[in-house]
Amino acid sequence: MQLQAVLFDLDGVLADYDRDGRIARMAASAGVSAETMQYAVYGSGIELAADSGTGYDPDTYLAAISRLAGATVTREAWIAARRDVTRPRAWMLKLAANLIQGGVAVGMLTNNTLMFGESVRQVAPDLFPLFEGTAWTSAEFGTRKPYTDVYERCLARWDKDPAATLFVDDLEENVVGAERAGLMAHWYRDRAGFAATMWRFGFVVGETV
């Protein structure tokens, strides 16, 4: 079947991401230790729950982190920290543009919060307009990768055939989940391996750094 769409993960695929750097920036802005902020965001389970779309809109999410950190985490500080450590890969964006020119739709599905979805244009402006209307977070679907329902709900909204859609992620479990949902999938480990996969579909991964 001809390739109809490519659904990319964000962190580790479309962009480089420094999670520890994000926590350090959030901690510095709030005036607490990195250890405290690490617990508030990740150790507490808030981020996992928010990624899954279970009861955390942007306001309740920031309030919950602030409560556990013992200091206010503002929307502006959260966005700034995430933006500073999210660096889109120019060569990936070039490929996305080439896919669109070749008649292949592109989308993004990231395990992330409603807060991220609301602020993605500020966090990663270089993704647009390539991913206009197709940059989704797991929280929007009330579940997360690697569960099959997140892929099914995403493709239903996108109106794409799973069998004609390639999913690209840097975590093996997410790739396995996509395959169970009927998608083609590539486990991204390095640029050369990804280039070989795209070559089989007739697309060249360029040399842009």
Side-chain angles (χ1 to χ4, degrees):
M1 182 176 289
Q2 185 175 1
L3 185 65
Q4 182 184 78
V6 179
L7 185 62
F8 295 92
D9 180 32
L10 175 61
D11 300 324
V13 177
L14 285 177
D16 294 306
Y17 171 59
D18 178 6
R19 193 172 91 164
D20 290 343
R22 173 192 171 204
I23 290 297
R25 286 164 173 78
M26 290 176 66
S29 177
V32 300
S33 69
E35 291 75 16
T36 295
M37 189 60 69
Q38 170 73 22
Y39 172 75
V41 176
Y42 292 108
S44 65
I46 286 174
E47 194 83 355
L48 179 63
D51 285 354
S52 303
T54 54
Y56 286 99
D57 64 26
D59 290 336
T60 56
Y61 166 74
L62 291 173
I65 292 174
S66 297
R67 183 173 62 254
L68 287 174
T72 300
V73 176
T74 67
R75 188 175 301 260
E76 293 75 19
W78 188 96
I79 292 172
R82 193 50 160 98
R83 182 181 60 240
D84 287 350
V85 300
T86 304
R87 302 178 180 85
R89 294 170 173 169
W91 64 272
M92 271 290 197
L93 298 185
K94 176 63 173 176
L95 172 64
N98 289 342
L99 285 165
I100 292 170
Q101 290 176 357
V104 177
V106 299
M108 181 191 80
L109 177 61
T110 172
N111 272 349
N112 240 304
T113 63
L114 294 176
M115 176 68 200
F116 182 89
E118 182 182 88
S119 58
V120 64
R121 285 180 170 278
Q122 295 163 275
V123 170
D126 290 347
L127 296 180
F128 301 93
L130 291 171
F131 292 87
E132 189 68 50
T134 62
W136 296 292
T137 68
S138 54
E140 295 178 55
F141 301 106
T143 182
R144 68 194 302 275
K145 300 177 289 187
Y147 300 112
T148 56
D149 49 1
V150 73
Y151 308 100
E152 293 164 353
R153 293 171 189 176
C154 180
L155 292 192
R157 183 181 297 182
W158 202 10
D159 193 26
K160 299 301 180 188
D161 180 356
T165 301
L166 175 68
F167 175 70
V168 184
D169 200 291
D170 63 324
L171 295 182
E172 183 181 17
E173 64 179 3
N174 294 342
V175 167
V176 171
E179 291 174 336
R180 287 175 177 164
L183 288 77
M184 299 179 284
H186 175 81
W187 177 18
Y188 182 92
R189 283 164 285 183
D190 57 50
R191 185 166 164 171
F194 178 61
T197 291
M198 296 311 301
W199 176 259
R200 290 198 292 273
F201 289 107
F203 290 91
V204 176
V205 173
E207 298 300 322
T208 304
V209 176

